[in-house]
Amino acid sequence: MPKKRILPYVLLGLINNKGSLSGYQISQEFKHEVGDFWHASHSQIYPELARMKDDGWLIDHDEDKSTFYSVTETGYRVLRDWMKEPLTDNEEIFSLKLYFINEKSDPLLQHLLKQELKIKQSKLSYLQGRLKEVFIDQKIIQKSFGHYLILTRAIEREENHIQWLESKIAACDAN
């Protein structure tokens, strides 16, 4: 099954958040803002913008020798529908969706945080089970110490992520 294209949703989110962007400004967003967790090249961006315009998700207008893109009502609905789709065990998608939440009061915020919390709790449970299953004594730990370190690092990473998610959920609940 082909992998779902994410770039159109990233472009919709960026343009929606900024109001109107040129292709160059979008490329800069990938270098400076979204680039910490998602990457796209010029050769990917421009054809996608053209497809999105053809699909009625974007409109464009020329200004100062540049073409600027804005999200249509249809594009906004497409973006929100994507943001409502259930998360999978893909932190990049969670990060992107979270990045496109503009207001603390957005009902999608709690939904995303709670979905991610369930995913991380499940992953932590799995990793803890693996640790108990594979490393039953000190002899095995010493024999496969690198594997042991990697697994314990993964457990610690999930525990920290869970703690962060719980604190953000509580902060949203407080308001």
Side-chain angles (χ1 to χ4, degrees):
M1 185 166 143
K3 191 175 175 181
K4 183 174 181 172
R5 289 182 11 253
I6 302 302
L7 183 58
Y9 305 107
V10 177
L11 293 171
L12 282 172
L14 287 172
I15 297 167
N16 182 67
N17 280 8
K18 302 292 180 171
S20 181
L21 291 173
S22 69
Y24 174 77
Q25 289 171 322
I26 292 168
S27 295
Q28 292 304 299
E29 290 290 317
F30 278 100
K31 283 184 184 176
H32 302 293
E33 298 298 325
V34 185
D36 291 335
F37 49 89
W38 191 265
H39 303 283
S41 66
H42 268 61
S43 63
Q44 294 172 297
I45 293 169
Y46 286 95
E48 197 63 60
L49 289 170
R51 273 192 292 271
M52 294 166 68
K53 185 178 167 214
D54 290 344
D55 290 342
W57 297 3
L58 298 175
I59 55 171
D60 65 357
H61 68 278
D62 292 331
E63 185 180 312
D64 297 328
K65 298 181 184 178
S66 292
T67 301
F68 286 81
Y69 299 88
S70 299
V71 176
T72 63
E73 187 60 39
T74 300
Y76 180 75
R77 281 194 310 274
V78 167
L79 173 64
R80 292 299 284 189
D81 287 347
W82 172 71
M83 290 177 67
K84 291 175 187 174
E85 288 179 8
L87 292 173
T88 60
D89 189 14
N90 182 334
E91 279 189 48
E92 290 175 336
I93 301 300
F94 169 70
S95 295
L96 284 168
K97 289 181 177 186
L98 196 58
Y99 184 80
F100 297 135
I101 300 275
N102 292 326
E103 297 177 13
K104 192 175 184 180
S105 61
D106 188 327
L108 277 177
L109 177 58
Q110 282 280 28
H111 182 68
L112 286 171
L113 292 170
K114 289 178 179 177
Q115 276 188 80
E116 184 72 356
L117 178 61
K118 276 182 102 168
I119 290 168
K120 292 302 174 183
Q121 288 170 330
S122 176
K123 190 167 185 180
L124 175 62
S125 179
Y126 166 78
L127 291 170
Q128 289 170 331
R130 289 288 297 148
L131 184 67
K132 287 178 184 172
E133 180 183 311
V134 174
F135 297 103
I136 55 176
D137 60 35
Q138 284 297 317
K139 185 177 178 184
I140 294 173
I141 290 172
Q142 292 305 317
K143 187 174 180 189
S144 300
F145 196 65
H147 181 189
Y148 173 78
L149 290 175
I150 295 297
L151 190 52
T152 56
R153 182 186 78 182
I155 289 169
E156 187 174 319
R157 181 184 61 236
E158 297 306 320
E159 289 171 338
N160 289 335
H161 200 147
I162 287 168
Q163 190 175 40
W164 179 84
L165 287 163
E166 289 172 340
S167 74
K168 299 310 161 209
I169 291 168
C172 289
D173 284 341
N175 292 328

